[in-house]
């Protein structure tokens, strides 16, 4: 195979030559550029991406939550598990044998960009990335959570470059209650930073975030055991799980990345009427971060360009990552529907 | 008037002599005793109470959330506002002109009892307090939130001493999701203690608790403004409110009181079938801490002794403190229904 390595494509565009049958083959790259950010002016940034699938296939961008990254699924080049394992796979709507799947690390994800980052900035970064890769137009943009917000901005700011949008569990603006929840997570980080317990604070923030990502139904089923008194302190059944979730997150997330991307969700505000790309909005009933009513508001604002799919899941905001079969069915349907100029 | 002062009744029982028309008159007292606690053995404690209303009237105990205390409402002796202002008032179901209202500081509320405290311990403390005051039997026990848990325990452990129970927004056991939420609040306190920023940690814990006490509906209405970027950081609309809530709480709450009473909620587990006192269970649809389904479970377990009232309120778990007219109507009805041996 003739894949460029990440090092080889760094700083310059290397045309890709991918065998037609190499559906799972992939290439990574990164390059430096300067972006003008909405809240912080011109800043040097590095853009990092991974592209998997046939070179001649239509390109679909897949963008996830603030903890997601460019590696969506294991492939022949990069064997580690990705964050959308099971959704990007043979036989799925996002099958690398028939589509080229592009994913990228969000601006700020490396912790090196310690300024307010807007979802508009992410959309502009993607446009620069597409130029870099010689991709004129996307067959689709599938965004989940934060990725859905970025997709909305991309549809507004780079209208001519995308045929359809699937926006899962992300509204045109954050709900004030969810924004307050995130603000308190950021305060937990700040408390940790007071005296060199930065990772402790980040862990606590992540644990609070987990409560917003999941549902009481799931906790009710999993953590039904009676509390224990350990060393004179009460310890409830979910604490082992929360400890593990916090520790795992701290091990892979720079504090500044967490803070700036969390803020970025709260900065997001777009006018749905400004989106004129066919858009499938997917809502999860029971999502405690993104209420169904807000996604109904988004669809109403989209007018003729919007349609709504609702699913109920005990996984709440995390349903996209957990309800693989049901999400895949929704994506398959979305890609069967003709996009504009598809 | 002939009221004993708090100092005068301290350490000893002073029979009360209250004029028949002095419905708003009140007496406070406190005394030392030794209680055998479920998780910590025999401990010296101080019990503090306030009693308001006619000496010859039936006695009703009113017990609130973990932040509540013995002063339920302003009266002629103690003019400061209480935590149940508006519910204990002339013309209300809890009118000191027709009932004697007894309230007490929870064990641990002074921060001096730094051990696991069970709701059973609170019920036993109340029994000791009733002995001290020469009160054989309660006309009723009205408990809200933590107070509802204490009421359940009192009905089980001191069956002969209470005629009816009204249990508002408190189930027979905590929901695992709510328990996890509280555990993380306690972790915020622990993080603050690690940083020599104890009040900072307590403030953050309280702010997280506020999210569980209120609802997204209320936040959606109150905090709809766009975020601001202040000193390079994103600040969302609810943060001023959360700051104030945290600061106010820190000013009046010992850290150990908060930790031990928060734990106490999570230690609570009773068998509803063990309660054989007529009980009105009041549930608030939309309460994020105590789901309606759990209160339905409580009522089912109560069998012939239970009845359910449900109200919907944007104030969620705090509805008892906010929906004064509707709660009063429920209480009036509960007290019109004959209790056993009433």
């Amino acid at each position: 195979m003739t894949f460029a390595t990440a090092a080889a494509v760094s700083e310059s565009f290397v045309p890709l030559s991918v065998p037609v049958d190499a559906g799972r083959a992939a290439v990574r790259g990164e390059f430096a550029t300067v972006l003008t950010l909405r809240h912080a002016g011109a800043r040097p940034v590095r853009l990092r991406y991974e592209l998997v699938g046939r070179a001649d296939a239509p390109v679909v961008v897949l963008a996830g939550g603030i903890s997601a990254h460019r590696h969506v699924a294991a492939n022949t080049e990069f064997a580690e598990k990705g964050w959308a394992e099971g959704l990007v796979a043979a036989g799925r709507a996002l099958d690398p044998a028939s589509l080229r799947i592009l994913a990228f690390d969000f601006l700020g994800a490396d912790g090196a960009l310690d300024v307010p980052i807007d979802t508009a900035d992410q959309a502009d970064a993607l446009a620069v990335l597409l130029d870099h890769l010689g991709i004129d137009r996307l067959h689709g943009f599938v965004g989940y959570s934060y990725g859905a917000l970025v997709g909305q901005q991309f549809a507004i700011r780079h209208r001519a470059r995308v045929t359809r949008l699937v926006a899962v569990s992300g509204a045109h603006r954050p709900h004030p209650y969810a924004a307050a929840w995130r603000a308190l997570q950021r305060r937990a980080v700040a408390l940790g930073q007071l005296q060199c317990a930065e990772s402790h604070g980040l862990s606590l923030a992540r644990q609070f975030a987990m409560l917003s990502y999941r549902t009481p139904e799931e906790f009710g089923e999993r953590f039904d055991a009676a509390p224990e008194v350990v060393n004179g302190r009460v310890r409830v059944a979910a604490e082992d799980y929360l400890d593990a979730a916090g520790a795992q997150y701290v091990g892979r997330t720079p504090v500044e990345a967490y803070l700036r991307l969390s803020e970025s969700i709260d900065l997001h505000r777009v006018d749905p009427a400004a989106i004129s790309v066919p858009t499938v909005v997917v809502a999860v009933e029971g999502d405690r971060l993104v209420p169904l009513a807000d996604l109904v508001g988004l669809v109403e604002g989209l007018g003729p360009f919007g349609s709504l799919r609702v699913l109920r899941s005990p996984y709440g905001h995390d349903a996209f990552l957990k309800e693989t079969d049901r999400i895949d069915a929704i994506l398959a349907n979305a890609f069967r529907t003709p996009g504009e100029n598809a």
Side-chain angles (χ1 to χ4, degrees), chain A residues 16-23 25 51-61 93-102 133-140:
Chain A
L16 305 173
S17 169
V18 182
V20 173
D21 62 343
L51 192 52
V52 59
R54 283 170 33 191
D56 61 345
V59 178
V60 172
V61 162
L94 301 179
D95 185 343
S98 54
L99 294 172
R100 236 168 140 199
I101 311 293
L102 173 64
L133 295 172
I135 297 167
D136 182 50
R137 184 182 177 92
L138 298 175
H139 182 62

PDB file of all heavy atoms in Angstrom, chain A residues 16-23 25 51-61 93-102 133-140:
ATOM      1  N   LEU A  16      -3.675  11.506  -2.106  1.00  0.00           N
ATOM      2  CA  LEU A  16      -3.853  10.154  -1.604  1.00  0.00           C
ATOM      3  C   LEU A  16      -4.120   9.207  -2.754  1.00  0.00           C
ATOM      4  O   LEU A  16      -4.877   9.516  -3.656  1.00  0.00           O
ATOM      5  CB  LEU A  16      -5.031  10.125  -0.639  1.00  0.00           C
ATOM      6  CG  LEU A  16      -4.917  11.127   0.508  1.00  0.00           C
ATOM      7  CD1 LEU A  16      -6.196  11.156   1.309  1.00  0.00           C
ATOM      8  CD2 LEU A  16      -3.718  10.809   1.367  1.00  0.00           C
ATOM      9  N   SER A  17      -3.526   8.033  -2.671  1.00  0.00           N
ATOM     10  CA  SER A  17      -3.789   7.010  -3.667  1.00  0.00           C
ATOM     11  C   SER A  17      -4.150   5.746  -2.915  1.00  0.00           C
ATOM     12  O   SER A  17      -3.294   5.073  -2.362  1.00  0.00           O
ATOM     13  CB  SER A  17      -2.542   6.796  -4.530  1.00  0.00           C
ATOM     14  OG  SER A  17      -2.714   5.643  -5.305  1.00  0.00           O
ATOM     15  N   VAL A  18      -5.419   5.459  -2.864  1.00  0.00           N
ATOM     16  CA  VAL A  18      -5.903   4.355  -2.047  1.00  0.00           C
ATOM     17  C   VAL A  18      -6.479   3.276  -2.955  1.00  0.00           C
ATOM     18  O   VAL A  18      -7.297   3.587  -3.812  1.00  0.00           O
ATOM     19  CB  VAL A  18      -6.988   4.859  -1.074  1.00  0.00           C
ATOM     20  CG1 VAL A  18      -7.482   3.740  -0.174  1.00  0.00           C
ATOM     21  CG2 VAL A  18      -6.446   6.005  -0.249  1.00  0.00           C
ATOM     22  N   PRO A  19      -6.072   2.039  -2.783  1.00  0.00           N
ATOM     23  CA  PRO A  19      -6.639   0.957  -3.606  1.00  0.00           C
ATOM     24  C   PRO A  19      -8.149   0.906  -3.442  1.00  0.00           C
ATOM     25  O   PRO A  19      -8.664   1.113  -2.342  1.00  0.00           O
ATOM     26  CB  PRO A  19      -5.979  -0.304  -3.034  1.00  0.00           C
ATOM     27  CG  PRO A  19      -4.794   0.160  -2.277  1.00  0.00           C
ATOM     28  CD  PRO A  19      -5.082   1.550  -1.822  1.00  0.00           C
ATOM     29  N   VAL A  20      -8.835   0.595  -4.530  1.00  0.00           N
ATOM     30  CA  VAL A  20     -10.298   0.628  -4.528  1.00  0.00           C
ATOM     31  C   VAL A  20     -10.888  -0.325  -3.492  1.00  0.00           C
ATOM     32  O   VAL A  20     -11.920  -0.049  -2.896  1.00  0.00           O
ATOM     33  CB  VAL A  20     -10.833   0.296  -5.943  1.00  0.00           C
ATOM     34  CG1 VAL A  20     -12.356   0.151  -5.927  1.00  0.00           C
ATOM     35  CG2 VAL A  20     -10.427   1.400  -6.910  1.00  0.00           C
ATOM     36  N   ASP A  21     -10.224  -1.438  -3.235  1.00  0.00           N
ATOM     37  CA  ASP A  21     -10.797  -2.418  -2.309  1.00  0.00           C
ATOM     38  C   ASP A  21     -10.324  -2.229  -0.863  1.00  0.00           C
ATOM     39  O   ASP A  21     -10.677  -3.002   0.000  1.00  0.00           O
ATOM     40  CB  ASP A  21     -10.455  -3.831  -2.777  1.00  0.00           C
ATOM     41  CG  ASP A  21      -8.945  -4.040  -2.785  1.00  0.00           C
ATOM     42  OD1 ASP A  21      -8.205  -3.034  -2.749  1.00  0.00           O
ATOM     43  OD2 ASP A  21      -8.516  -5.200  -2.822  1.00  0.00           O
ATOM     44  N   ALA A  22      -9.538  -1.243  -0.642  1.00  0.00           N
ATOM     45  CA  ALA A  22      -8.948  -1.089   0.688  1.00  0.00           C
ATOM     46  C   ALA A  22      -9.856  -0.250   1.581  1.00  0.00           C
ATOM     47  O   ALA A  22      -9.504   0.827   2.049  1.00  0.00           O
ATOM     48  CB  ALA A  22      -7.568  -0.466   0.601  1.00  0.00           C
ATOM     49  N   GLY A  23     -11.062  -0.769   1.811  1.00  0.00           N
ATOM     50  CA  GLY A  23     -12.077   0.001   2.515  1.00  0.00           C
ATOM     51  C   GLY A  23     -11.656   0.414   3.899  1.00  0.00           C
ATOM     52  O   GLY A  23     -12.110   1.427   4.419  1.00  0.00           O
ATOM     53  N   ALA A  25      -8.492   0.938   4.902  1.00  0.00           N
ATOM     54  CA  ALA A  25      -7.199   1.613   4.968  1.00  0.00           C
ATOM     55  C   ALA A  25      -7.385   3.068   5.353  1.00  0.00           C
ATOM     56  O   ALA A  25      -8.438   3.657   5.159  1.00  0.00           O
ATOM     57  CB  ALA A  25      -6.497   1.518   3.623  1.00  0.00           C
ATOM     58  N   LEU A  51      -8.288  10.006   7.670  1.00  0.00           N
ATOM     59  CA  LEU A  51      -9.161   9.800   6.512  1.00  0.00           C
ATOM     60  C   LEU A  51      -9.131   8.309   6.229  1.00  0.00           C
ATOM     61  O   LEU A  51      -8.054   7.724   6.097  1.00  0.00           O
ATOM     62  CB  LEU A  51      -8.590  10.609   5.345  1.00  0.00           C
ATOM     63  CG  LEU A  51      -9.347  10.859   4.063  1.00  0.00           C
ATOM     64  CD1 LEU A  51     -10.739  11.420   4.312  1.00  0.00           C
ATOM     65  CD2 LEU A  51      -8.544  11.801   3.172  1.00  0.00           C
ATOM     66  N   VAL A  52     -10.289   7.697   6.163  1.00  0.00           N
ATOM     67  CA  VAL A  52     -10.339   6.251   5.968  1.00  0.00           C
ATOM     68  C   VAL A  52     -11.303   5.920   4.834  1.00  0.00           C
ATOM     69  O   VAL A  52     -12.341   6.559   4.692  1.00  0.00           O
ATOM     70  CB  VAL A  52     -10.735   5.523   7.286  1.00  0.00           C
ATOM     71  CG1 VAL A  52     -12.083   5.980   7.783  1.00  0.00           C
ATOM     72  CG2 VAL A  52     -10.698   4.019   7.124  1.00  0.00           C
ATOM     73  N   GLY A  53     -10.903   4.961   3.983  1.00  0.00           N
ATOM     74  CA  GLY A  53     -11.804   4.520   2.913  1.00  0.00           C
ATOM     75  C   GLY A  53     -11.266   4.825   1.527  1.00  0.00           C
ATOM     76  O   GLY A  53     -10.161   5.343   1.365  1.00  0.00           O
ATOM     77  N   ARG A  54     -12.056   4.508   0.549  1.00  0.00           N
ATOM     78  CA  ARG A  54     -11.657   4.609  -0.858  1.00  0.00           C
ATOM     79  C   ARG A  54     -11.432   6.052  -1.284  1.00  0.00           C
ATOM     80  O   ARG A  54     -12.250   6.927  -1.015  1.00  0.00           O
ATOM     81  CB  ARG A  54     -12.755   4.016  -1.741  1.00  0.00           C
ATOM     82  CG  ARG A  54     -12.790   2.520  -1.763  1.00  0.00           C
ATOM     83  CD  ARG A  54     -14.038   2.018  -2.456  1.00  0.00           C
ATOM     84  NE  ARG A  54     -14.472   2.915  -3.531  1.00  0.00           N
ATOM     85  CZ  ARG A  54     -15.640   2.812  -4.138  1.00  0.00           C
ATOM     86  NH1 ARG A  54     -16.494   1.857  -3.772  1.00  0.00           N
ATOM     87  NH2 ARG A  54     -15.971   3.644  -5.090  1.00  0.00           N
ATOM     88  N   ALA A  55     -10.369   6.278  -2.037  1.00  0.00           N
ATOM     89  CA  ALA A  55     -10.038   7.638  -2.472  1.00  0.00           C
ATOM     90  C   ALA A  55     -11.103   8.215  -3.400  1.00  0.00           C
ATOM     91  O   ALA A  55     -11.292   9.427  -3.469  1.00  0.00           O
ATOM     92  CB  ALA A  55      -8.679   7.652  -3.168  1.00  0.00           C
ATOM     93  N   ASP A  56     -11.810   7.354  -4.128  1.00  0.00           N
ATOM     94  CA  ASP A  56     -12.801   7.867  -5.082  1.00  0.00           C
ATOM     95  C   ASP A  56     -14.218   7.912  -4.517  1.00  0.00           C
ATOM     96  O   ASP A  56     -15.167   8.192  -5.236  1.00  0.00           O
ATOM     97  CB  ASP A  56     -12.780   7.004  -6.352  1.00  0.00           C
ATOM     98  CG  ASP A  56     -13.143   5.551  -6.050  1.00  0.00           C
ATOM     99  OD1 ASP A  56     -13.133   5.165  -4.847  1.00  0.00           O
ATOM    100  OD2 ASP A  56     -13.448   4.805  -6.996  1.00  0.00           O
ATOM    101  N   ALA A  57     -14.340   7.649  -3.236  1.00  0.00           N
ATOM    102  CA  ALA A  57     -15.688   7.619  -2.637  1.00  0.00           C
ATOM    103  C   ALA A  57     -16.083   9.006  -2.145  1.00  0.00           C
ATOM    104  O   ALA A  57     -15.230   9.853  -1.855  1.00  0.00           O
ATOM    105  CB  ALA A  57     -15.719   6.616  -1.484  1.00  0.00           C
ATOM    106  N   PRO A  58     -17.385   9.245  -2.022  1.00  0.00           N
ATOM    107  CA  PRO A  58     -17.852  10.518  -1.458  1.00  0.00           C
ATOM    108  C   PRO A  58     -17.355  10.663  -0.019  1.00  0.00           C
ATOM    109  O   PRO A  58     -17.277   9.674   0.713  1.00  0.00           O
ATOM    110  CB  PRO A  58     -19.383  10.389  -1.487  1.00  0.00           C
ATOM    111  CG  PRO A  58     -19.683   9.233  -2.386  1.00  0.00           C
ATOM    112  CD  PRO A  58     -18.506   8.332  -2.363  1.00  0.00           C
ATOM    113  N   VAL A  59     -17.063  11.893   0.365  1.00  0.00           N
ATOM    114  CA  VAL A  59     -16.479  12.130   1.690  1.00  0.00           C
ATOM    115  C   VAL A  59     -17.559  12.533   2.691  1.00  0.00           C
ATOM    116  O   VAL A  59     -18.375  13.423   2.423  1.00  0.00           O
ATOM    117  CB  VAL A  59     -15.401  13.238   1.615  1.00  0.00           C
ATOM    118  CG1 VAL A  59     -14.837  13.517   3.015  1.00  0.00           C
ATOM    119  CG2 VAL A  59     -14.289  12.830   0.653  1.00  0.00           C
ATOM    120  N   VAL A  60     -17.542  11.874   3.830  1.00  0.00           N
ATOM    121  CA  VAL A  60     -18.433  12.219   4.939  1.00  0.00           C
ATOM    122  C   VAL A  60     -17.563  12.571   6.144  1.00  0.00           C
ATOM    123  O   VAL A  60     -16.658  11.822   6.505  1.00  0.00           O
ATOM    124  CB  VAL A  60     -19.371  11.049   5.294  1.00  0.00           C
ATOM    125  CG1 VAL A  60     -20.159  11.360   6.571  1.00  0.00           C
ATOM    126  CG2 VAL A  60     -20.323  10.758   4.138  1.00  0.00           C
ATOM    127  N   VAL A  61     -17.847  13.716   6.737  1.00  0.00           N
ATOM    128  CA  VAL A  61     -17.174  14.082   7.989  1.00  0.00           C
ATOM    129  C   VAL A  61     -17.970  13.520   9.163  1.00  0.00           C
ATOM    130  O   VAL A  61     -19.201  13.636   9.193  1.00  0.00           O
ATOM    131  CB  VAL A  61     -17.038  15.616   8.111  1.00  0.00           C
ATOM    132  CG1 VAL A  61     -16.747  16.028   9.565  1.00  0.00           C
ATOM    133  CG2 VAL A  61     -15.938  16.120   7.189  1.00  0.00           C
ATOM    134  N   ALA A  93     -24.000   2.166   7.664  1.00  0.00           N
ATOM    135  CA  ALA A  93     -24.215   3.345   6.820  1.00  0.00           C
ATOM    136  C   ALA A  93     -22.879   4.053   6.571  1.00  0.00           C
ATOM    137  O   ALA A  93     -22.618   4.547   5.474  1.00  0.00           O
ATOM    138  CB  ALA A  93     -25.208   4.299   7.488  1.00  0.00           C
ATOM    139  N   LEU A  94     -22.056   4.106   7.607  1.00  0.00           N
ATOM    140  CA  LEU A  94     -20.726   4.713   7.465  1.00  0.00           C
ATOM    141  C   LEU A  94     -19.705   3.596   7.227  1.00  0.00           C
ATOM    142  O   LEU A  94     -18.860   3.305   8.071  1.00  0.00           O
ATOM    143  CB  LEU A  94     -20.373   5.531   8.712  1.00  0.00           C
ATOM    144  CG  LEU A  94     -21.333   6.675   9.072  1.00  0.00           C
ATOM    145  CD1 LEU A  94     -20.867   7.392  10.344  1.00  0.00           C
ATOM    146  CD2 LEU A  94     -21.451   7.681   7.918  1.00  0.00           C
ATOM    147  N   ASP A  95     -19.804   2.969   6.044  1.00  0.00           N
ATOM    148  CA  ASP A  95     -18.925   1.860   5.683  1.00  0.00           C
ATOM    149  C   ASP A  95     -17.753   2.405   4.866  1.00  0.00           C
ATOM    150  O   ASP A  95     -17.963   2.958   3.783  1.00  0.00           O
ATOM    151  CB  ASP A  95     -19.727   0.831   4.861  1.00  0.00           C
ATOM    152  CG  ASP A  95     -18.914  -0.417   4.558  1.00  0.00           C
ATOM    153  OD1 ASP A  95     -17.667  -0.381   4.684  1.00  0.00           O
ATOM    154  OD2 ASP A  95     -19.527  -1.427   4.183  1.00  0.00           O
ATOM    155  N   PRO A  96     -16.538   2.255   5.367  1.00  0.00           N
ATOM    156  CA  PRO A  96     -15.380   2.793   4.635  1.00  0.00           C
ATOM    157  C   PRO A  96     -15.164   2.129   3.277  1.00  0.00           C
ATOM    158  O   PRO A  96     -14.340   2.599   2.491  1.00  0.00           O
ATOM    159  CB  PRO A  96     -14.199   2.499   5.579  1.00  0.00           C
ATOM    160  CG  PRO A  96     -14.806   2.261   6.918  1.00  0.00           C
ATOM    161  CD  PRO A  96     -16.156   1.660   6.660  1.00  0.00           C
ATOM    162  N   ALA A  97     -15.900   1.061   2.992  1.00  0.00           N
ATOM    163  CA  ALA A  97     -15.803   0.458   1.665  1.00  0.00           C
ATOM    164  C   ALA A  97     -16.582   1.273   0.640  1.00  0.00           C
ATOM    165  O   ALA A  97     -16.323   1.174  -0.565  1.00  0.00           O
ATOM    166  CB  ALA A  97     -16.330  -0.983   1.704  1.00  0.00           C
ATOM    167  N   SER A  98     -17.530   2.085   1.095  1.00  0.00           N
ATOM    168  CA  SER A  98     -18.331   2.840   0.133  1.00  0.00           C
ATOM    169  C   SER A  98     -18.243   4.352   0.346  1.00  0.00           C
ATOM    170  O   SER A  98     -18.661   5.123  -0.518  1.00  0.00           O
ATOM    171  CB  SER A  98     -19.798   2.396   0.200  1.00  0.00           C
ATOM    172  OG  SER A  98     -20.282   2.495   1.520  1.00  0.00           O
ATOM    173  N   LEU A  99     -17.742   4.763   1.503  1.00  0.00           N
ATOM    174  CA  LEU A  99     -17.585   6.196   1.781  1.00  0.00           C
ATOM    175  C   LEU A  99     -16.162   6.448   2.259  1.00  0.00           C
ATOM    176  O   LEU A  99     -15.500   5.558   2.777  1.00  0.00           O
ATOM    177  CB  LEU A  99     -18.562   6.649   2.884  1.00  0.00           C
ATOM    178  CG  LEU A  99     -20.053   6.618   2.582  1.00  0.00           C
ATOM    179  CD1 LEU A  99     -20.843   6.916   3.846  1.00  0.00           C
ATOM    180  CD2 LEU A  99     -20.408   7.634   1.482  1.00  0.00           C
ATOM    181  N   ARG A 100     -15.730   7.666   2.095  1.00  0.00           N
ATOM    182  CA  ARG A 100     -14.482   8.084   2.708  1.00  0.00           C
ATOM    183  C   ARG A 100     -14.855   8.867   3.958  1.00  0.00           C
ATOM    184  O   ARG A 100     -15.577   9.857   3.872  1.00  0.00           O
ATOM    185  CB  ARG A 100     -13.752   9.023   1.747  1.00  0.00           C
ATOM    186  CG  ARG A 100     -12.359   8.603   1.390  1.00  0.00           C
ATOM    187  CD  ARG A 100     -11.925   9.463   0.231  1.00  0.00           C
ATOM    188  NE  ARG A 100     -10.553   9.879   0.343  1.00  0.00           N
ATOM    189  CZ  ARG A 100     -10.035  10.908  -0.315  1.00  0.00           C
ATOM    190  NH1 ARG A 100     -10.806  11.650  -1.107  1.00  0.00           N
ATOM    191  NH2 ARG A 100      -8.771  11.201  -0.184  1.00  0.00           N
ATOM    192  N   ILE A 101     -14.392   8.402   5.084  1.00  0.00           N
ATOM    193  CA  ILE A 101     -14.767   9.040   6.353  1.00  0.00           C
ATOM    194  C   ILE A 101     -13.607   9.922   6.814  1.00  0.00           C
ATOM    195  O   ILE A 101     -12.482   9.453   6.995  1.00  0.00           O
ATOM    196  CB  ILE A 101     -15.059   7.988   7.447  1.00  0.00           C
ATOM    197  CG1 ILE A 101     -16.009   6.893   6.940  1.00  0.00           C
ATOM    198  CG2 ILE A 101     -15.613   8.674   8.702  1.00  0.00           C
ATOM    199  CD1 ILE A 101     -17.398   7.346   6.639  1.00  0.00           C
ATOM    200  N   LEU A 102     -13.933  11.189   7.001  1.00  0.00           N
ATOM    201  CA  LEU A 102     -12.938  12.153   7.482  1.00  0.00           C
ATOM    202  C   LEU A 102     -13.286  12.575   8.903  1.00  0.00           C
ATOM    203  O   LEU A 102     -14.437  12.911   9.195  1.00  0.00           O
ATOM    204  CB  LEU A 102     -12.925  13.385   6.571  1.00  0.00           C
ATOM    205  CG  LEU A 102     -12.050  14.571   7.022  1.00  0.00           C
ATOM    206  CD1 LEU A 102     -10.568  14.201   7.060  1.00  0.00           C
ATOM    207  CD2 LEU A 102     -12.272  15.783   6.095  1.00  0.00           C
ATOM    208  N   LEU A 133      -6.837  19.096   1.781  1.00  0.00           N
ATOM    209  CA  LEU A 133      -6.972  17.732   1.267  1.00  0.00           C
ATOM    210  C   LEU A 133      -7.512  17.705  -0.163  1.00  0.00           C
ATOM    211  O   LEU A 133      -7.667  16.624  -0.741  1.00  0.00           O
ATOM    212  CB  LEU A 133      -7.916  16.926   2.178  1.00  0.00           C
ATOM    213  CG  LEU A 133      -7.423  16.679   3.614  1.00  0.00           C
ATOM    214  CD1 LEU A 133      -8.531  16.057   4.455  1.00  0.00           C
ATOM    215  CD2 LEU A 133      -6.187  15.787   3.601  1.00  0.00           C
ATOM    216  N   GLY A 134      -7.808  18.867  -0.717  1.00  0.00           N
ATOM    217  CA  GLY A 134      -8.356  18.906  -2.069  1.00  0.00           C
ATOM    218  C   GLY A 134      -9.776  18.376  -2.152  1.00  0.00           C
ATOM    219  O   GLY A 134     -10.200  17.871  -3.192  1.00  0.00           O
ATOM    220  N   ILE A 135     -10.515  18.490  -1.075  1.00  0.00           N
ATOM    221  CA  ILE A 135     -11.913  18.035  -1.052  1.00  0.00           C
ATOM    222  C   ILE A 135     -12.802  19.259  -1.224  1.00  0.00           C
ATOM    223  O   ILE A 135     -12.807  20.150  -0.384  1.00  0.00           O
ATOM    224  CB  ILE A 135     -12.246  17.319   0.270  1.00  0.00           C
ATOM    225  CG1 ILE A 135     -11.391  16.055   0.414  1.00  0.00           C
ATOM    226  CG2 ILE A 135     -13.737  16.974   0.346  1.00  0.00           C
ATOM    227  CD1 ILE A 135     -11.422  15.446   1.802  1.00  0.00           C
ATOM    228  N   ASP A 136     -13.542  19.277  -2.329  1.00  0.00           N
ATOM    229  CA  ASP A 136     -14.350  20.450  -2.630  1.00  0.00           C
ATOM    230  C   ASP A 136     -15.633  20.469  -1.798  1.00  0.00           C
ATOM    231  O   ASP A 136     -16.020  21.504  -1.259  1.00  0.00           O
ATOM    232  CB  ASP A 136     -14.704  20.443  -4.113  1.00  0.00           C
ATOM    233  CG  ASP A 136     -15.505  21.672  -4.501  1.00  0.00           C
ATOM    234  OD1 ASP A 136     -15.056  22.795  -4.155  1.00  0.00           O
ATOM    235  OD2 ASP A 136     -16.580  21.511  -5.112  1.00  0.00           O
ATOM    236  N   ARG A 137     -16.244  19.296  -1.704  1.00  0.00           N
ATOM    237  CA  ARG A 137     -17.599  19.252  -1.132  1.00  0.00           C
ATOM    238  C   ARG A 137     -17.814  17.943  -0.394  1.00  0.00           C
ATOM    239  O   ARG A 137     -17.392  16.886  -0.837  1.00  0.00           O
ATOM    240  CB  ARG A 137     -18.599  19.368  -2.283  1.00  0.00           C
ATOM    241  CG  ARG A 137     -20.040  19.439  -1.869  1.00  0.00           C
ATOM    242  CD  ARG A 137     -20.948  19.507  -3.109  1.00  0.00           C
ATOM    243  NE  ARG A 137     -22.342  19.508  -2.729  1.00  0.00           N
ATOM    244  CZ  ARG A 137     -23.060  20.617  -2.525  1.00  0.00           C
ATOM    245  NH1 ARG A 137     -22.511  21.801  -2.682  1.00  0.00           N
ATOM    246  NH2 ARG A 137     -24.333  20.533  -2.162  1.00  0.00           N
ATOM    247  N   LEU A 138     -18.507  18.044   0.741  1.00  0.00           N
ATOM    248  CA  LEU A 138     -18.823  16.851   1.535  1.00  0.00           C
ATOM    249  C   LEU A 138     -20.153  16.240   1.084  1.00  0.00           C
ATOM    250  O   LEU A 138     -21.136  16.954   0.873  1.00  0.00           O
ATOM    251  CB  LEU A 138     -18.927  17.212   3.015  1.00  0.00           C
ATOM    252  CG  LEU A 138     -17.665  17.777   3.677  1.00  0.00           C
ATOM    253  CD1 LEU A 138     -17.980  18.189   5.118  1.00  0.00           C
ATOM    254  CD2 LEU A 138     -16.531  16.757   3.635  1.00  0.00           C
ATOM    255  N   HIS A 139     -20.139  14.926   1.000  1.00  0.00           N
ATOM    256  CA  HIS A 139     -21.382  14.191   0.777  1.00  0.00           C
ATOM    257  C   HIS A 139     -22.295  14.319   2.000  1.00  0.00           C
ATOM    258  O   HIS A 139     -23.520  14.285   1.886  1.00  0.00           O
ATOM    259  CB  HIS A 139     -21.005  12.722   0.524  1.00  0.00           C
ATOM    260  CG  HIS A 139     -22.154  11.829   0.229  1.00  0.00           C
ATOM    261  ND1 HIS A 139     -22.985  11.986  -0.859  1.00  0.00           N
ATOM    262  CD2 HIS A 139     -22.614  10.721   0.887  1.00  0.00           C
ATOM    263  CE1 HIS A 139     -23.912  11.028  -0.864  1.00  0.00           C
ATOM    264  NE2 HIS A 139     -23.701  10.250   0.188  1.00  0.00           N
ATOM    265  N   GLY A 140     -21.667  14.470   3.139  1.00  0.00           N
ATOM    266  CA  GLY A 140     -22.451  14.641   4.353  1.00  0.00           C
ATOM    267  C   GLY A 140     -21.577  15.018   5.534  1.00  0.00           C
ATOM    268  O   GLY A 140     -20.350  14.828   5.510  1.00  0.00           O
TER     269      GLY A 140
END
